[in-house]
Amino acid sequence: MKRIAVIGGGITGLSACLTLVKELDKYPTELILYEASNRLGGRVHTIHDPSLDLTVEAGPDSILTRKPASIHLIKSLYLEHEIVHARQSAGNIFIVRDGKLNTIPNGYMGIPCSDTAVESNLLSREGKQRVLAEE
Ligand SMILES: Cc1cc2nc3c(=O)[nH]c(=O)nc-3n(C[C@H](O)[C@H](O)[C@H](O)COP(=O)(O)OP(=O)(O)OC[C@H]3O[C@@H](n4cnc5c(N)ncnc54)[C@H](O)[C@@H]3O)c2cc1C
């Protein structure tokens, strides 16, 4: 019997386990997932505060639909009906800097970065270089 260890129960480790379970269905295999913390999901973490009726994504809150991998994963888990499409207004993002609310230019947090992001003074020169290096 083969023994396979997957280290980390974030989305990467969980996806690896899902793929392995499907691929190794016919072969006797022991698959063990090791997770250091007391919960699965890694950076993917939804917090719900019932007293405020508030749901906050502590990590990722969206997927890029033009990249097929996450859609494929969602479909394979039959969760397609749970996809919530972003409203146009969701493009307005703000950040507090020096005590003031600043509008984040379009393309700043999205991928790819737009020219307006480069013209803004919200990021340092090095920060802009990092953003531009994003695929
Ligand atoms: C604030 C924030 C917002 C983001 N927004 C988006 C978004 O909107 N869309 C998007 O696509 N991506 C987003 N990302 C990126 C996305 O969250 C990550 O790329 C993705 O969750 C990484 O998953 P992972 O499984 O590779 O790693 P992680 O989620 O970091 O999981 C690694 C897991 O391994 C465990 N681990 C580590 N070391 C060990 C060990 N030695 N033994 C056992 N377990 C171990 C950790 O406890 C953790 O559970 C965001 C990230 C952050 C931080």
Side-chain angles (χ1 to χ4, degrees), residues 32-95:
I32 304 172
L33 172 69
Y34 291 94
E35 169 50 48
S37 74
N38 60 2
R39 49 168 280 278
L40 295 173
R43 292 178 198 279
V44 180
H45 190 197
T46 305
I47 300 164
H48 184 67
D49 185 336
S51 64
L52 297 172
D53 194 22
L54 189 68
T55 301
V56 177
E57 296 299 343
D61 59 6
S62 56
I63 53 165
L64 286 175
T65 50
R66 67 186 159 82
K67 302 237 175 185
S70 35
I71 294 289
H72 177 75
L73 176 65
I74 289 167
K75 280 185 182 171
S76 74
L77 293 167
Y78 307 105
L79 293 172
E80 210 177 343
H81 63 285
E82 297 212 17
I83 293 176
V84 178
H85 295 276
R87 282 177 294 179
Q88 200 66 31
S89 59
N92 299 326
I93 315 170
F94 302 91
I95 191 166

